[in-house]
Amino acid sequence: MVIGTDKIVDAYQLIASFFQHHIESTSLAVDDVAEIAGMAADIASNAILSEKKLFSIGLGADAASAIMLASLLQNGILRERPSLPVLELAEYRIDSAQTGINWVSQQLQALGQSGDVGIIFAANLSESEIERIQIITEQRQIIPVWLGKGGRGLSLISVDDSVESRLTLNHAIAICLARLIETNTFGPVED
């Protein structure tokens, strides 16, 4: 119940509906996620081992997934190990999408080099925003990996039209990617 209004919010029903939809979307995406995340982890691990840069990119609502991926790679999730180098290009406090895209473009222009990899969380980006990032990755010869919506290159495109589902799936993918990159870089965890 929401205090001060005539409306009663059925929190259980809203939450149950959200999780049910997320579970269905996730289960339908597992095959694609496994294939694309596996390829993305190989690309990212090779970049790290070749002393190239790995960028974790997210703007607005997508910033949370980019921050999580960077944090998990820096701090480890499976075992004690050295921090993996990842540059977090995430900003959730942007005045406009245009400002955020300009900032990311400037950062990639300044820091990006041929063979670097950009993991781009794009669940909440428009086609024109994706195109602007795509242009800078091509100019700097950065290998893009698109999650949520796709650009040219390796893409994991969510078939779900719900931005909530795309964001939730991207968050889960960030955790999976961190685990796969860590395993590819340091080998399997021994029990």
Side-chain angles (χ1 to χ4, degrees):
M1 174 186 240
V2 177
I3 299 174
T5 69
D6 296 338
K7 297 180 182 179
I8 296 176
V9 176
D10 185 356
Y12 179 84
Q13 187 57 39
L14 286 172
I15 292 169
S17 175
F18 172 80
F19 274 95
Q20 181 63 35
H21 184 78
H22 174 65
I23 290 166
E24 289 171 6
S25 295
T26 302
S27 67
L28 292 173
V30 168
D31 290 340
D32 291 337
V33 169
E35 180 182 351
I36 301 299
M39 288 189 283
D42 287 343
I43 292 167
S45 296
N46 287 334
I48 290 167
L49 295 172
S50 300
E51 297 184 7
K52 300 293 183 182
K53 288 183 279 311
L54 176 62
F55 297 100
S56 184
I57 303 166
L59 297 170
D62 288 307
S65 296
I67 292 166
M68 180 188 300
L69 177 63
S71 177
L72 291 172
L73 290 175
Q74 290 165 350
N75 300 313
I77 58 173
L78 299 176
R79 60 183 144 207
E80 263 189 65
R81 57 146 174 89
S83 177
L84 290 173
V86 59
L87 294 168
E88 176 187 300
L89 298 181
E91 182 59 62
Y92 66 93
R93 296 169 290 188
I94 53 177
D95 296 333
S96 69
Q98 192 71 17
T99 302
I101 296 298
N102 288 341
W103 175 75
V104 164
S105 295
Q106 290 169 351
Q107 296 301 307
L108 292 175
Q109 183 68 39
L111 302 170
Q113 297 176 353
S114 179
D116 291 346
V117 175
I119 307 290
I120 306 158
F121 293 92
N124 207 30
L125 295 179
S126 71
E127 295 304 316
S128 64
E129 293 162 348
I130 289 170
E131 184 61 29
R132 292 225 16 238
I133 295 173
Q134 183 71 52
I135 289 168
I136 195 68
T137 61
E138 288 173 357
Q139 287 173 352
R140 301 302 294 166
Q141 299 178 336
I142 297 168
I143 302 164
V145 176
W146 299 92
L147 302 173
K149 288 185 183 174
R152 290 183 293 280
L154 188 59
S155 298
L156 181 57
I157 302 168
S158 176
V159 295
D160 198 320
D161 288 337
S162 162
V163 71
E164 290 173 329
S165 290
R166 288 193 310 266
L167 289 167
T168 305
L169 184 59
N170 273 359
H171 219 58
I173 291 169
I175 297 168
C176 292
L177 260 178
R179 183 179 198 139
L180 288 169
I181 292 168
E182 183 173 316
T183 300
N184 285 357
T185 305
F186 295 104
V189 175
E190 296 180 17
D191 294 326

